[in-house]
Amino acid sequence: MSQNHERSEMIDRIEGALFGVAVGDALGAPLEFLNASQILERHGKPVAEMVGGGWLSVLPGEVTDDTQMTLAVAEGILRAHETGADMVECVGGMFLRWYATRPRDVGQTCAMVLDALSGSDERTESAWHAAARNLFDQLRGRTAGNGALMRTVYPALWFPDEHEAVSAAVRIGRMTHWHEASDHALEAYVRAIVSAVQGSESAREARMRASSILQGVKELAAAPVRPSGYCVESLKCALHALESTESFEQALVLAVNLGGDADTVGAITGGLAGAVYGKSAIPERWLARLGNRPNDRTAAIFCPGDGLNDPDGLFLRRLAHLARKAFERQQQALP
């Protein structure tokens, strides 16, 4: 395989992972809190289009907090790289700027920590982790939700070294979700995506390798595949979707139609399947509907200086820009 082909394959998979999160989030958002039977009853067949609606009344293709927090992580990592500032503090700053726009959907664990830090002048990594530990104690350990896992794709795309990627993901995850199960899920997910993005195998081989890496996660939760908000069960749903299908579209349709926490299961599956199959495998009809509307204030945060005349276009260009920056970082690390 030529070097140019390998580079083309890598950028395709990096873009696939990042756009995959957004596509999975948007496809699953209208199905959140429905079960599989209710989805079939309401739609007559498995949902495979950007239908919109649901409890949030999203527009077709509209993303939610899963994608927005993923963007906040990516922007924070990029800002830390460009300025030499602390990574967690930069990510935290983006979280708080996003939270200040009063987004329509924020997970309980994230919201409680963000509330605590919003009213504090101390926003170091230690302060974030202290707030997350306090919440762990307050909720008696019930802080193993999927709110850290849903936003963790970018460390796997940015850091050339797997150990550094895992370390960064766990540090960022612990900003809100202080729990060993969350740490384990983040590590497995990041390792699986790194293997796909940095490997030169075919999509089938990349899928098998990712599946192998994630096998240990199966043992951390009960046998049934349940699309709950528990991080391990959400990751199991993504693994089930990846193993049971042979394309990005098939994997994502299976994942979101499980129902439950469908937008987050979709986002997690989209990141994983996107890394395996690449952006070129994401249906164009899904990408064409993808957007951040009507979250204009969020677009302004993630697209500084670009104005608000085209929030959807800004959002899509920013995703592409962040993917390109991650690709450039990976290329710089090559011998």
Side-chain angles (χ1 to χ4, degrees), residues 92 95-97 99-100 110-123 128:
F95 282 170
L96 292 171
R97 288 181 63 190
Y99 192 57
C110 290
M112 293 178 76
V113 174
L114 288 166
D115 279 334
L117 269 293
S118 295
S120 172
D121 294 329
E122 181 65 26
R123 296 174 178 178
W128 281 96

Side-chain angles (χ1 to χ4, degrees), residues 213-275:
I213 291 170
L214 292 170
Q215 288 304 311
V217 178
K218 289 182 176 180
E219 301 170 4
L220 300 179
V225 174
R226 298 187 299 182
S228 75
Y230 175 41
C231 62
V232 175
E233 290 184 335
S234 296
L235 188 53
K236 281 185 63 180
C237 289
L239 176 58
H240 168 68
L242 188 72
E243 290 183 327
S244 303
T245 59
E246 295 183 350
S247 73
F248 179 92
E249 180 172 359
Q250 291 172 358
L252 206 54
V253 169
L254 190 161
V256 300
N257 282 278
L258 293 171
D261 199 0
D263 58 335
T264 301
V265 169
I268 295 166
T269 304
L272 181 61

Side-chain angles (χ1 to χ4, degrees), residues 23 26-28 30-31 39-40 43-52 248-257 283-287 289:
V23 166
L27 191 68
L31 311 182
I39 292 171
L40 288 175
H43 295 279
K45 59 183 179 180
V47 171
E49 306 299 334
M50 299 289 188
V51 296
F248 179 92
E249 180 172 359
Q250 291 172 358
L252 206 54
V253 169
L254 190 161
V256 300
N257 282 278
E284 183 58 38
R285 70 182 192 280
W286 288 350
L287 292 169
R289 300 304 299 271

Side-chain angles (χ1 to χ4, degrees), residues 20-57:
V21 169
V23 166
D25 177 17
L27 191 68
L31 311 182
E32 189 176 19
F33 301 138
L34 300 176
N35 61 40
S37 297
Q38 290 170 326
I39 292 171
L40 288 175
E41 181 179 350
R42 180 170 299 186
H43 295 279
K45 59 183 179 180
V47 171
E49 306 299 334
M50 299 289 188
V51 296
W55 77 278
L56 282 172
S57 298

